[in-house]
Amino acid sequence: MIEIFTYDSITKAPKEWDTLVGDNIYMTARFLAFMESVDKCNQRYYAIYKDGQLDTVFMTYERKHYNLGMFTNVNIYQDMTFVYVPLSVTRPGIVYNQCLDEALAYIKKMKGPKIMLNLEDMQMKGFAKGLTCPKCIFTNRFSSFDDYLNNLRSNYRRRYKQALKKSQELKLTYLEDNADFTEEMYACYLQVYNKSRVKIEKLPIEFFRGNLFKIFTLSQGDKVVGFCQLLENGTELIFEFVGVDYAYNTQYDTYHRILLEIVRYGIEHGFKTIDFGQTADESKLKLGSEYTFLYAYLHHSNPIKNKVNQLLGRFLSYKYITTKFEVFK
């Protein structure tokens, strides 16, 4: 027997929710409650029971003016229902065991266009499928940051030592309290957001003040020229978001310094992997990360529009980098 329950707040979801979602930290009740508090976008939560046992959960939220053509030269704006956590992360907004088909049937019945992001390669009848941004995963096999540098091929090692030298006068500081995240730091995030071609959402400053994260800043005197937000998830370190004041980026090579500090933090704190996320992938691949491919699945309740989506899906896919970077010796 299959039963489906819906909730307008994660506080109403069953207590077994976190056990089911496992290491998908973005789907935990604590994280979803935090997202409700900082970014209200009509979130809804769904729990599917099979024979009285919680089997599958997913969440939806709504975005206006989403650009389906963001990976192409054509803009295709639609109001969209996402089956996804409401921020740009590499995890899906659905966790399932045996009831995936029931979940998909339910999603298909939702009115209008729906998109499911960051799932593995699978067959979903009736959905258009296309590559979305792959995630860049760095596997830590190093005893120290110096060990990492020494294992790089000479051209990469030279490049990163230059970045460290150019930024050596910058002061690195970890925030003791994320409530101290300032408007100046947020302005650095907005610079990166506004420059990005791939835009799903613009997060409010309150997101960066959440106590779930580690944040470090790079400063020249009293001037913050960049910051990075990290999330620790067991043996995995996740690169969340970055901010850069581009007026200083060339002078200090701020962005590359931030990437190297992520690598340093991950190695020194013994994380097995670093999830570098989905954008600016060339820079992250050149650190020694590797692609994990992810897919988007699109469905429209209008059968004609849904057929068009299925025909266009592959043309809207992300064009990933095919160059194989030989980073290590």
Side-chain angles (χ1 to χ4, degrees), residues 265-323:
Y265 186 92
I267 293 172
E268 291 181 350
H269 289 80
F271 289 97
K272 291 183 179 179
T273 59
I274 303 174
D275 181 347
F276 269 103
Q278 296 172 280
T279 57
D281 36 350
E282 181 172 345
S283 294
K284 296 165 184 177
L285 293 172
K286 287 180 176 179
L287 289 172
S289 300
E290 295 184 349
Y291 275 146
T292 296
F293 290 103
L294 300 170
Y295 293 82
Y297 298 84
L298 178 67
H299 183 272
H300 202 294
S301 57
N302 181 308
I304 296 175
K305 291 182 178 180
N306 195 53
K307 186 65 176 179
V308 172
N309 287 340
Q310 289 177 298
L311 294 173
L312 292 178
R314 65 188 181 91
F315 298 105
L316 301 177
S317 291
Y318 184 79
K319 306 300 187 293
Y320 62 91
I321 296 170
T322 57
T323 303

Side-chain angles (χ1 to χ4, degrees), residues 189-245:
Y189 161 73
L190 292 179
Q191 285 193 47
V192 175
Y193 173 83
N194 290 329
K195 190 176 180 180
S196 175
R197 167 69 175 166
V198 180
K199 294 182 176 73
I200 295 180
E201 75 291 297
K202 180 167 68 176
L203 293 164
I205 192 170
E206 289 77 16
F207 176 81
F208 298 95
R209 291 173 174 165
N211 61 10
L212 298 168
F213 310 103
K214 297 276 189 182
I215 293 178
F216 68 79
T217 64
L218 292 173
S219 304
Q220 167 57 269
D222 293 332
K223 172 66 178 176
V224 174
V225 300
F227 80 87
C228 179
Q229 182 190 47
L230 301 171
L231 180 62
E232 297 181 357
N233 183 34
T235 62
E236 170 193 43
L237 179 66
I238 305 173
F239 171 28
E240 291 287 320
F241 295 95
V242 66
V244 175
D245 188 332

Side-chain angles (χ1 to χ4, degrees), residues 166-179:
K166 287 181 72 173
S167 62
Q168 64 185 351
E169 65 182 84
L170 297 181
K171 180 182 179 182
L172 186 147
T173 305
Y174 278 86
L175 296 185
E176 293 183 6
D177 186 344
N178 289 349

